[in-house]
Amino acid sequence: MAQMRRYAGGVDGNRSLERGIEILRAFRPGIDTLGNGEIAERCGLPRSTVSRLTRTLVNSGMLDEIRTERTYRLAASVISIGHAMRTGSPVLNAIGPMMRAESAKRRLNVGLATADRTMMVYLESIRYSPRAALRNVVAGQQVPMELTSLGRAYLAGLAESERERLLKLFKRRSAAATRALLAEVRRSISAVERGGYCAVSWQPAVLAVATPIVLDGLPVYALNMSLQNVDRSDALASELGAYLNAFAAKCKEVLAGR
Amino acid sequence: MAQMRRYAGGVDGNRSLERGIEILRAFRPGIDTLGNGEIAERCGLPRSTVSRLTRTLVNSGMLDEIRTERTYRLAASVISIGHAMRTGSPVLNAIGPMMRAESAKRRLNVGLATADRTMMVYLESIRYSPRAALRNVVAGQQVPMELTSLGRAYLAGLAESERERLLKLFKRRSAAATRALLAEVRRSISAVERGGYCAVSWQPAVLAVATPIVLDGLPVYALNMSLQNVDRSDALASELGAYLNAFAAKCKEVLAGR
DNA sequence: CGGCCATTTCCACTAAGTGGAATTAAGGGA
DNA sequence: TCCCTTAATTCCACTTAGTGGAAATGGCCG
């Protein structure tokens, strides 16, 4: 009869699986543990349904149950899947070592990211520090797409239709300053189209430049370079941009022979 | 009628979600891309079912579809969930910095892991290298439980019943050398019970010692230290063991005040 | 350009999953 | 210690969402 198509507005696909994934997604930095009640509320699901789905996720090893608190936490399995993802990423494999070398050579931060819905996710972020012990590599961290050079470069690398879809989402998200923000985003996008990169100071005293990497059959990526403890200056931005353009060209060359 | 309990042998839980997770798990290091056919085979599922579930996973952002190859790859979302896991781990948060300091101080590798089914998963693995540039931190990597100091220390920290359940699984897994291997595992476990740690040279020229960390309400963890390019010697093992015991004691102290 | 494999769509069937209501279990005073 | 409040879990009738074999579609290679 209803051959599994469109449950409550969705089209095709498996509702339970979708819900289960949504539950996993409800855990994020700052939200370390969740109980069934809170999950039900955040995901907009009936409590009995959540109870069953979390049980399944525990049995599948994706969640750890904290019996004493009647609460759940992401289990170690999720990082082993994450590791598999990084291991299997042809882009990261190809240019990861180059990024590390470039970070050391230029003494700046180098990052590679792609999108997870409306956020950018670092596949690798090499934080340069003169104290080698503080050198820091993070993967999986998220930053907002519309506010960062990474995100705007990503948008610039996207096909028109997909880009407009995302821009609409931002409009809905940040009630304030929408007009000005969107204009800024579009300015960054055309900067990429003209000069290959865009520069943004999302965080105070940090200057970042980014450029998209578009490869056939793969998601769009964005590559960035950044410097801490500097004042924004156009001269510095264009110096960084030149470095980035040169490095990105090298990367694309390597990636082309894949 | 059948109120969702026991589908094909399982008890309670959501079949579609379980299957979806199993599909994600089918991707691991060395298996970068999978098509629906191969997934169906590996997971023992009908092809049409797989087709629908992979579609759902793509829509949920867990898989990327490579249209040109009619194949799938883990998407960036999985590392953002993995990052959330690490961020939310109270154990890693508490002792991660201590591990880094200890690695630098003692000039050896320090790792923290827990179990994912029959494998151990590193939450953090700090590879000491005299060349600071080569210092390497990996998370999510898996090593077999029964063959490593990490895994055996984990087993030693487990409750009797759970431990025996796992030992039976190993028996089924490795047809050869089962007898001798299991005896060795049991010897490692009693070593932990007597001296606090066990020593294993899983890989040639690498000596590793490990100890369990058992905390109320949390999974069992294992902490290890290792040295590359050394010959196995009992003297060296007991020196390492002493370092490890001292460090683990410090960690437990910190963890107790949680 | 036509045959061949693999993947997706179709569709009748029904068991798997749903969610409101009842029940049970867990803290929190007194 | 026992009762009371609050939240999680189990129950259960309902029915839709999911299933999987079969048909159709679509890439690909000779």
Side-chain angles (χ1 to χ4, degrees):
Chain A
M1 205 201 297
Q3 317 113 50
M4 183 221 61
R5 22 191 69 209
R6 71 174 47 255
Y7 43 84
V11 178
D12 221 22
N14 186 297
R15 182 168 60 163
S16 314
L17 178 52
E18 224 164 61
R19 288 172 162 188
I21 299 295
E22 229 40 58
I23 289 176
L24 291 179
R25 278 207 142 91
F27 295 85
R28 52 207 141 78
I31 304 177
D32 302 347
T33 63
L34 286 170
N36 280 335
E38 206 164 354
I39 293 172
E41 201 173 334
R42 281 173 191 273
C43 300
L45 296 173
R47 324 191 122 214
S48 49
T49 298
V50 170
S51 192
R52 268 173 283 123
L53 293 178
T54 51
R55 196 207 295 2
T56 304
L57 289 169
V58 169
N59 288 338
S60 301
M62 304 301 285
L63 291 180
D64 282 334
E65 188 176 5
I66 309 166
R67 285 234 165 70
T68 56
E69 305 177 16
R70 324 201 107 228
T71 192
Y72 301 92
R73 180 179 275 130
L74 291 172
S77 288
V78 305
I79 58 169
S80 67
I81 300 178
H83 183 249
M85 186 269 152
R86 277 169 43 90
T87 290
S89 166
V91 176
L92 181 59
N93 278 322
I95 73 175
M98 294 168 67
M99 289 169 61
R100 255 154 288 178
E102 189 76 7
S103 169
K105 176 178 158 199
R106 302 273 193 209
R107 300 168 172 260
L108 38 70
N109 310 322
V110 178
L112 175 70
T114 187
D116 179 13
R117 304 199 170 165
T118 62
M119 301 290 276
M120 296 302 291
V121 185
Y122 278 104
L123 269 78
E124 185 107 312
S125 166
I126 299 144
R127 307 280 169 80
Y128 176 78
S129 157
R131 283 279 302 113
L134 297 177
R135 237 178 67 260
N136 199 3
V137 179
V138 182
Q141 206 195 330
Q142 296 191 337
V143 295
M145 189 182 288
E146 72 273 35
L147 302 177
T148 56
S149 62
L150 224 33
R152 294 177 187 177
Y154 171 82
L155 286 166
L158 237 41
E160 184 67 20
S161 61
E162 182 61 8
R163 170 165 55 213
E164 292 305 322
R165 191 185 68 78
L166 282 163
L167 288 172
K168 263 180 211 118
L169 290 179
F170 303 142
K171 221 176 277 185
R172 212 159 305 159
R173 175 152 75 173
S174 45
T178 287
R179 179 67 48 112
L181 178 65
L182 276 191
E184 233 193 275
V185 171
R186 292 199 188 273
R187 223 173 307 133
S188 291
I189 290 169
S190 44
V192 172
E193 281 160 357
R194 273 180 286 108
Y197 70 94
C198 66
V200 179
S201 283
W202 172 43
Q203 280 166 326
V206 177
L207 176 64
V209 296
T211 187
I213 296 186
V214 183
L215 296 162
D216 201 68
L218 288 177
V220 173
Y221 292 85
L223 199 59
N224 83 344
M225 288 183 174
S226 67
L227 276 173
Q228 282 128 309
N229 306 317
V230 298
D231 296 324
R232 231 227 106 132
S233 89
D234 289 343
L236 188 54
S238 56
E239 193 188 350
L240 262 189
Y243 288 162
L244 180 63
N245 279 343
F247 179 60
K250 236 187 351 175
C251 290
K252 281 169 192 162
E253 207 173 294
V254 171
L255 287 165
R258 193 176 40 102
Chain B
M1 204 206 295
Q3 315 113 51
M4 183 222 60
R5 24 190 66 209
R6 68 176 49 256
Y7 43 83
V11 178
D12 221 22
N14 186 297
R15 181 168 61 162
S16 314
L17 178 52
E18 224 164 61
R19 288 171 161 189
I21 299 295
E22 229 42 56
I23 290 176
L24 291 180
R25 277 207 143 92
F27 295 85
R28 53 206 139 76
I31 304 178
D32 301 348
T33 62
L34 286 170
N36 281 334
E38 206 164 356
I39 293 172
E41 202 173 331
R42 281 173 191 273
C43 300
L45 296 172
R47 325 193 121 215
S48 50
T49 299
V50 170
S51 191
R52 267 174 283 123
L53 293 178
T54 51
R55 190 193 325 335
T56 305
L57 288 169
V58 169
N59 289 338
S60 300
M62 305 301 286
L63 291 180
D64 282 334
E65 187 177 4
I66 310 166
R67 285 232 165 70
T68 55
E69 306 178 16
R70 324 202 107 226
T71 192
Y72 301 92
R73 181 179 274 131
L74 290 172
S77 288
V78 305
I79 60 170
S80 67
I81 300 178
H83 183 249
M85 185 270 152
R86 278 169 44 89
T87 290
S89 166
V91 175
L92 182 59
N93 279 321
I95 72 175
M98 295 168 66
M99 289 169 60
R100 257 154 296 197
E102 189 76 7
S103 168
K105 177 180 158 199
R106 301 272 191 209
R107 300 166 172 260
L108 37 71
N109 310 322
V110 179
L112 175 70
T114 187
D116 179 11
R117 306 200 171 166
T118 62
M119 299 291 275
M120 296 302 292
V121 186
Y122 278 103
L123 270 78
E124 185 107 312
S125 166
I126 300 143
R127 308 279 169 79
Y128 176 77
S129 157
R131 282 280 302 113
L134 298 177
R135 237 178 66 261
N136 199 3
V137 180
V138 182
Q141 207 196 331
Q142 296 191 336
V143 293
M145 190 183 289
E146 73 273 34
L147 300 178
T148 56
S149 62
L150 223 34
R152 294 178 186 177
Y154 172 81
L155 286 166
L158 237 41
E160 183 67 20
S161 62
E162 183 62 6
R163 172 165 54 212
E164 294 304 323
R165 191 183 67 78
L166 282 164
L167 289 173
K168 263 181 211 117
L169 290 179
F170 302 143
K171 220 176 279 184
R172 211 160 305 159
R173 176 152 72 171
S174 45
T178 288
R179 179 68 46 113
L181 178 65
L182 276 192
E184 233 194 275
V185 170
R186 292 200 188 271
R187 222 174 306 135
S188 291
I189 291 169
S190 45
V192 172
E193 280 160 0
R194 273 181 286 109
Y197 71 92
C198 66
V200 179
S201 283
W202 173 44
Q203 280 166 326
V206 177
L207 176 64
V209 296
T211 187
I213 296 186
V214 183
L215 295 162
D216 202 68
L218 288 178
V220 173
Y221 291 86
L223 200 59
N224 82 345
M225 288 182 173
S226 67
L227 276 173
Q228 283 129 308
N229 304 319
V230 298
D231 297 323
R232 231 226 107 129
S233 89
D234 289 342
L236 187 54
S238 56
E239 192 187 349
L240 262 189
Y243 289 162
L244 180 63
N245 280 341
F247 180 59
K250 234 184 358 172
C251 290
K252 281 170 193 163
E253 208 172 292
V254 171
L255 288 165
R258 193 176 39 101

